[in-house]
Amino acid sequence: MKVLANDGLDQSGIDSLTEKGFEVITKKVSQDSLVDYINEHKIRTLLVRSATQVRKDIIDHCPSLEIIGRGGVGMDNIDVDYAREKGIHVINTPSASSESVAELVFAHLFSGARFLQDSNRKIPLVGDVEFAKLKKSYAAGIELRGKTIGIIGMGRIGQEVARIALGLGMRVVAADNNVGRASIKVKFYNNQFINVDIETEPLQQVLKHSDFITLHVPAQKEGYMIGEPEFEIMKDGVAIINCSRGGVIDESALIKALDSEKVRFAGLDVFINEPTPSKEVLNHSKISLTPHTGASTLEAQDRIGLSLAEQISSILQIH
Ligand SMILES: NC(=O)C1=CN([C@@H]2O[C@H](COP(=O)(O)OP(=O)(O)OC[C@H]3O[C@@H](n4cnc5c(N)ncnc54)[C@H](OP(=O)(O)O)[C@@H]3O)[C@@H](O)[C@H]2O)C=CC1
Ligand SMILES: O=C(O)C(=O)CO
């Protein structure tokens, strides 16, 4: 019962599977050697995160494979329908990382609103005189409280973002494929709950009325969701965060909008050409960047590991 966790697996998942008699291999096998390795070791379960591509070649040439597991949400690196047609179970961990991604959105928002990403780069490089100048230029920060946040994609992560935003005293507007009302249950640390109804609105309205925009849709097949025409609709001085997928925003249009001050700042956890952002993105003083670490908290990794282990044991009926 061999499991190859090719992009790593949290100790929680390794322990849970090992206890049930699985052999978990965490060696990183290169994309080119994967078919041979799986066949040679008779791997029944292949676990990946976002790095390993599980395309037709692997699905067609690895008859021992029974389960393909994605530690995460987006399965754009797996030919899901094709694998399922071939009788392979394809699993992921949809709810395990929502809170972590939502918290990263606010890390980017606070960073941009108070110039943290720029001051972290510059302070180590300046002397006393420049320090005073920097201090002056950073004296134009803004608060989040009382501002409107536009959430595009009101699924699991979008709703977590809404909960935090409501707690911060922000107004929440949202757009989603599913038009209607999302009822958000907000839990406080003293275990009290309040219910808040949020109506979804057409995308154009959300773009028009938001001070901050955050994207939580899957990879889009129909090109950029946010490009030049969408930036034009937005308020002057808007900020935008993308913790969904690179390619949802047109990065050239974003750079232009930042340079013209249409957009105050951007926060990107994902970008086109991962893992190497373009020079323009990498060096822009108004972009706060993280290397696709939305789900990479200790807590989310622990939940992802356990969720995968539970699903594998349930499919293979090993308890
Ligand atoms: N940065 C990171 O590390 C991580 C990134 N992600 C990314 O975040 C994405 C969202 O995750 P999650 O919230 O769990 O997913 P959900 O499926 O719960 O929510 C996505 C929502 O977006 C809606 N949607 C899809 N396309 C559009 C569109 N064009 N316009 C408006 N709404 C749309 C969906 O509607 P419908 O269901 O009807 O299509 C759905 O309600 C993932 O697909 C993944 O790509 C996820 C985890 C970690
Ligand atoms: O879960 C996802 O979709 C991510 O992008 C993180 O791996």
Side-chain angles (χ1 to χ4, degrees), residues 233-293:
I233 303 171
M234 294 177 196
K235 276 189 183 177
D236 291 340
V238 65
I240 187 156
I241 310 296
N242 187 12
C243 290
S244 63
R245 278 294 176 269
V248 173
I249 299 185
D250 175 351
E251 287 174 0
S252 312
L254 172 64
I255 300 286
K256 230 166 130 183
L258 286 164
D259 290 344
S260 70
E261 300 190 349
K262 174 79 189 179
V263 173
R264 182 187 292 269
F265 66 84
L268 304 180
D269 186 45
V270 289
F271 30 85
I272 298 168
N273 284 335
E274 278 181 39
T276 317
S278 71
K279 282 205 179 69
E280 291 75 19
V281 165
L282 200 55
N283 298 323
H284 207 290
S285 62
K286 293 181 186 169
I287 299 182
S288 163
L289 264 186
T290 44
H292 201 148
T293 44

Side-chain angles (χ1 to χ4, degrees), residues 35-110:
V35 169
D36 288 345
Y37 190 90
I38 291 172
N39 287 325
E40 191 183 323
H41 295 269
K42 301 206 167 24
I43 302 291
R44 291 174 68 182
T45 301
L46 170 63
L47 299 181
V48 300
R49 299 198 59 197
S50 54
T52 304
Q53 301 289 313
V54 192
R55 302 292 176 208
K56 273 180 156 191
D57 56 331
I58 293 176
I59 296 163
D60 281 340
H61 296 112
C62 298
S64 62
L65 266 192
E66 290 173 56
I67 303 176
I68 297 167
R70 161 74 159 103
V73 182
M75 298 208 277
D76 25 311
N77 54 326
I78 303 173
D79 284 341
V80 176
D81 293 342
Y82 189 73
R84 287 186 176 146
E85 267 169 38
K86 298 278 169 184
I88 298 176
H89 297 271
V90 185
I91 57 173
N92 66 344
T93 58
S95 307
S97 59
S98 312
E99 294 92 343
S100 295
V101 181
E103 288 190 11
L104 186 65
V105 169
F106 286 90
H108 281 295
L109 279 174
F110 281 118

